């Protein structure tokens, strides 16, 4: 009967989902305002990928949108997923659906996990809201909000690189300058150019501690994007360098990537002079590789004579390409011989070009994780170049400027979210359906479900289940009110406890298919789920029943999307099922009863629902 009911749901789902333009998004009963992007993932060697979570920040339109377009549910913003594409944190509502760039875990501040990102400037650029560099602690609370304190118009979107210790960070800086075009041999002519550089910011105050700008260091003719015969430009001017990444090494020198000179620069932290150029028209090195329009240049290692760098060789931009495939590159420059050699190259697995944006990361186990940006395309490679995994957003409408993988521990300051509702056709077949999630929490292995007779009543453990997805559904026998949940880690520790919630009831019980004379009253959970020891000989059976229940839970998890998508349908189905004399899911409830009735109410330390 349960199966029949479920199959009828699936049949209906086809009808429902085909008209649903959001099928590439996840939605949740517990967080109805959030639509999180789904990933399509292909694993080629699941066992060989590095442990860690994915950090992405999907955006739809690169420029801030008018506030009138912001009515939609929270979609755009920072997100964390696990390596199976299961959502861990949706930060889109926290930042009002605004674009977030360079979202990543920061594990170099102290011994705790942090997050950093750029909140893009507001819709009216130049107004008060110039954008910010953000650092969140592992409770998802802002620890530092770094504002633009100098004369720059916006917080540049390309880089927020928190340096070791978390005292300072690097950001890119663009300025419009009116200059003479002598660089191009046009001595008496003037025009506007957009210069590029970086600032090192004091994270506590936003004060600019060091600024470097291409003006006077990088001539216009070094650009691969400026044609020397172009008429002089009005403001803002020729985007002749387009810097997009900055880093700093232990010696205090800076690495700067400029996409439109196809050059990576080492810049002295002492006097700002360019120590060397790698790539582009005026490379200081004899190279055994080429690259162009690169992104995300980083120091991997450096000493007085050798520097190892990583970067994404996009090999293309919006209008042209120099190679046929983009690649993550690791190169070493040797300043004793002025040679640069390619150490490793990881081509984009689909053989295509990343024309804009992207990122490259060497992971702790030496795997390489690459964000190819468009549509959130990302891949992980073994050190010897095997593609272990590739994934991209199911939706074609979003990209992520960079994508990263990091270990991370998230401990949200908000309690878990739980929603429960009761259904049934008469007093004997009532069932309480729980949905639970905890936005941002890592390491949840299972959920414990509690009910009490009233707000002051003792919590009665009514069951537990493995966490399988961001949101977990659980069905318990009876009409349980005053419910709460506990998140449990794999060692049995309580990670967090929800508040006590009332169970939602149908607005009109009879319209919801309830056949009883009056509306039902909640059960006393202690009577339904009182203390009983599991007889030893039954344990095996309990395990089997539990596994089966879990399988069923997966199926039901799909079904509820319909139930909640079209509330009326559930009523219809319940009514239809009640004609057959069976409440939908009664099969489930029977199984659950056999399982849960055995569990003792845990009242020892570590299992108390914390209040
Ligand atoms: C980080 O942990 C190490 C080793 O446990 C300890 O020595 C160090 O003091 C800690 N640092 C901070 C900033 O807490
Ligand atoms: C600098 O690094 C290179 C490459 O790792 C290494 O061969 C060289 O010995 C290092 N030099 C010093 C002084 O440590
Ligand atoms: C549920 O709780 C019981 C008793 O504490 C435990 O043995 C079992 O592993 C738990 N099941 C899950 C899925 O956590
Ligand atoms: C590998 C790749 O796509 N490289 C391109 C990156 O962008 C620069 C500049 O736009 C191109 O010159 C490269 O060919």
């Amino acid at each position: 009967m349960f199966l029949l009911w479920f199959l009828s749901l699936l049949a209906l789902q086809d009808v429902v989902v085909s008209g649903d333009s959001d099928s590439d998004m996840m939605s949740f009963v517990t967080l109805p305002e959030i639509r999180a992007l789904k990933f399509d993932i292909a694993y080629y060697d699941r066992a060989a990928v590095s442990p860690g979570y994915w950090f992405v920040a999907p955006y739809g339109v690169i420029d801030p949108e008018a506030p009138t377009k912001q009515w939609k549910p929270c979609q755009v913003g920072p997100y964390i997923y696990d390596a199976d594409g299961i959502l861990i944190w949706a930060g889109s509502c926290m930042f009002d659906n605004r674009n977030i760039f360079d979202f990543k875990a920061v594990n170099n501040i102290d011994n705790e996990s942090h997050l950093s990102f750029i909140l893009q400037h507001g819709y009216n650029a130049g107004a008060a809201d110039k954008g910010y560099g953000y650092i969140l602690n592992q409770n998802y609370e802002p620890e530092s909000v770094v504002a633009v304190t100098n004369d720059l118009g916006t917080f540049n979107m390309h880089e927020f690189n928190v340096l070791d210790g978390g005292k300072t960070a690097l950001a890119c800086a663009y300025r419009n300058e009116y200059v003479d075009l002598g660089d191009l041999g046009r001595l008496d002519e003037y025009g506007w150019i957009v210069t590029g550089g970086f600032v090192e910011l004091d994270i506590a105050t936003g004060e600019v501690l060091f600024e470097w700008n291409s003006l006077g260091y990088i001539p216009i003719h070094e650009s691969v994007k400026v044609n020397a015969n172009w008429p002089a430009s009005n403001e803002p001017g020729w985007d002749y360098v387009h810097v997009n990444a900055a880093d700093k090494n232990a010696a205090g020198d800076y690495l700067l990537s400029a996409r439109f000179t196809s050059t990576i620069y080492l810049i002295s932290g002492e006097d700002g002079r360019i120590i060397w150029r790698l790539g582009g028209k005026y490379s200081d090195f004899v190279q055994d590789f080429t690259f162009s329009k690169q992104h995300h240049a980083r120091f991997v290692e450096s000493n007085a004579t050798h520097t190892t760098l990583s970067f994404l060789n996009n090999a293309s931009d919006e209008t042209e390409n120099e190679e046929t495939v983009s690649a993550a590159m690791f190169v070493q420059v040797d300043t004793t011989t002025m040679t640069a050699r390619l150490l490793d190259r990881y081509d984009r697995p689909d053989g295509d070009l990343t024309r804009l944006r992207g990122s490259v990361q060497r992971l702790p186990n030496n795997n390489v994780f690459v964000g190819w940006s468009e549509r959130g395309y990302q891949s992980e490679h073994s050190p010897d170049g095997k593609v272990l995994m590739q994934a991209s957003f199911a939706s074609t409408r979003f990209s992520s400027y960079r994508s990263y993988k990091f270990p991370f521990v998230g401990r949200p300051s908000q309690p878990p979210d739980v929603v429960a509702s009761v259904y049934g056709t008469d007093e004997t077949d009532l069932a309480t359906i729980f949905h639970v999630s905890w936005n941002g929490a890592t390491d949840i292995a299972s959920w414990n479900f509690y009910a009490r007779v009233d707000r002051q009543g003792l919590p009665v453990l009514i069951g537990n289940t493995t966490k399988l997805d961001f949101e977990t559904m659980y069905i318990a026998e009876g009409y349980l009110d005053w419910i709460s949940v506990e998140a449990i880690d794999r060692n049995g520790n309580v990670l967090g406890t929800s508040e006590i919630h009332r169970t939602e009831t149908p607005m009109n019980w009879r319209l919801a298919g309830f056949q009883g004379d009056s509306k039902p009253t909640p059960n006393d959970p202690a009577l339904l789920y009182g203390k009983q020891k599991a007889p030893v000989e039954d344990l095996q059976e309990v395990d089997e029943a539990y596994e089966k229940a879990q399988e069923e839970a997966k199926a039901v998890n799909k079904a509820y999307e319909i139930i909640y998508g079209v509330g009326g349908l559930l009523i219809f189905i319940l009514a239809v099922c009640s004609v057959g004399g069976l409440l939908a899911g009664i099969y489930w409830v029977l199984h659950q009863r056999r399982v849960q009735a055995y569990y003792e109410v845990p009242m020892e330390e570590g299992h108390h629902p914390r209040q």
Side-chain angles (χ1 to χ4, degrees), residues 153-468:
T154 59
F155 201 107
N156 187 272
M157 63 162 278
H158 290 92
E159 185 79 88
F160 183 52
N161 185 357
V162 175
L163 299 178
D164 286 350
K167 298 273 180 276
T168 68
L170 301 179
C172 293
Y174 285 31
R175 289 178 177 282
N176 306 343
E177 304 280 358
Y178 190 63
V179 298
D180 73 74
L181 304 183
D183 278 353
L184 302 177
R186 294 152 62 172
L187 289 173
D188 296 323
E189 254 189 284
Y190 287 80
W192 287 90
I193 59 171
V194 181
T195 65
F198 61 90
V199 286
E200 183 166 352
L201 300 166
D202 183 315
I203 285 176
T205 64
E207 187 192 346
V208 175
L209 305 175
F210 187 91
E211 175 165 3
W212 187 93
N213 185 282
S214 60
L215 191 65
Y217 292 103
I218 302 178
I220 302 172
H221 57 74
E222 191 164 334
S223 178
V224 298
K225 291 302 283 185
V226 170
N227 183 323
N229 302 319
W230 281 349
S233 174
N234 292 325
E235 223 182 336
W238 296 329
D239 183 13
Y240 86 112
V241 279
H242 200 94
V243 303
N244 58 12
D247 200 9
K248 189 177 186 180
N249 65 12
D253 296 325
Y254 299 94
L255 195 70
L256 185 70
S257 163
R259 188 169 155 228
F260 288 168
T261 60
S262 290
T263 301
I264 296 171
Y265 302 87
L266 185 72
I267 292 162
S268 165
E270 263 169 35
D271 57 14
R273 78 183 191 284
I274 293 174
I275 300 172
W276 49 247
R277 288 168 161 83
L278 176 67
K281 291 183 181 170
Y282 306 112
S283 184
D284 291 313
F285 297 94
V286 176
Q287 297 168 213
D288 66 358
F289 58 92
T290 59
F291 69 92
S292 55
K293 295 172 187 142
Q294 72 291 338
H295 290 272
H296 197 226
R298 283 289 184 269
F299 287 114
V300 176
E301 257 174 21
S302 74
N303 63 23
T305 57
H306 291 71
T307 301
T308 303
L309 307 175
S310 64
F311 56 88
L312 188 84
N313 175 15
N314 69 293
S316 60
D317 62 18
E318 297 91 323
T319 54
E320 58 188 1
N321 61 291
E322 292 75 28
E323 300 174 48
T324 56
V325 61
S326 295
M329 313 245 296
F330 290 78
V331 304
Q332 190 180 64
V333 305
D334 176 351
T335 51
T336 59
T337 58
M338 295 315 280
T339 54
R341 65 192 180 96
L342 181 67
L343 301 179
D344 289 304
R345 175 183 172 117
Y346 304 87
D347 283 353
R348 191 172 139 140
D350 65 358
D352 214 336
L353 286 166
T354 288
R355 294 182 183 270
L356 295 160
R357 314 176 186 102
S359 52
V360 182
Q361 234 187 319
R362 177 77 77 184
L363 300 174
N365 72 349
N366 270 334
N367 283 358
V368 173
F369 190 80
V370 189
W372 308 99
S373 184
E374 201 177 335
R375 210 176 152 180
Y377 185 41
Q378 57 187 27
S379 58
E380 185 167 335
H381 306 250
S382 67
D384 62 0
K386 232 175 18 172
V387 179
L388 305 173
M389 179 281 306
Q390 56 179 332
S392 57
F393 297 144
S395 168
T396 55
R397 305 188 300 279
F398 298 87
S399 293
S400 184
Y401 166 59
R402 290 174 177 169
S403 301
Y404 295 96
K405 188 172 192 182
F406 284 104
F408 182 69
V409 176
R411 296 281 178 263
S413 52
Q414 297 295 312
D417 291 294
V418 57
V419 173
S421 47
V422 57
Y423 298 102
T425 57
D426 65 50
E427 293 273 0
T428 65
D429 67 8
L430 292 164
T432 304
I433 302 180
F434 292 77
H435 289 90
V436 59
S437 68
W438 195 8
N439 194 17
T442 55
D443 310 302
I444 307 171
S446 66
W447 291 103
N448 284 343
F449 299 86
Y450 293 88
R452 43 194 99 198
V453 71
D454 56 32
R455 183 173 287 282
Q456 277 70 43
L458 282 177
V460 177
L461 178 68
I462 58 164
N464 64 347
T465 192
T466 308
K467 176 190 184 273
L468 296 172

Side-chain angles (χ1 to χ4, degrees), residues 419-426 429-433 478-481 502-516 518-522 563-564 567-568 570-572 574-575 583:
V419 173
S421 47
V422 57
Y423 298 102
T425 57
D426 65 50
D429 67 8
L430 292 164
T432 304
I433 302 180
Y479 174 4
L480 303 168
D481 204 354
R502 303 296 305 269
T503 290
E504 292 171 9
T505 57
M507 276 221 283
N508 180 323
W509 280 92
R510 287 201 76 77
L511 284 182
F514 188 72
Q515 314 277 310
S518 57
K519 67 177 189 180
T521 50
I563 296 175
Y564 281 85
L570 175 69
I571 296 165
F572 167 74
L574 286 178
L583 164 69

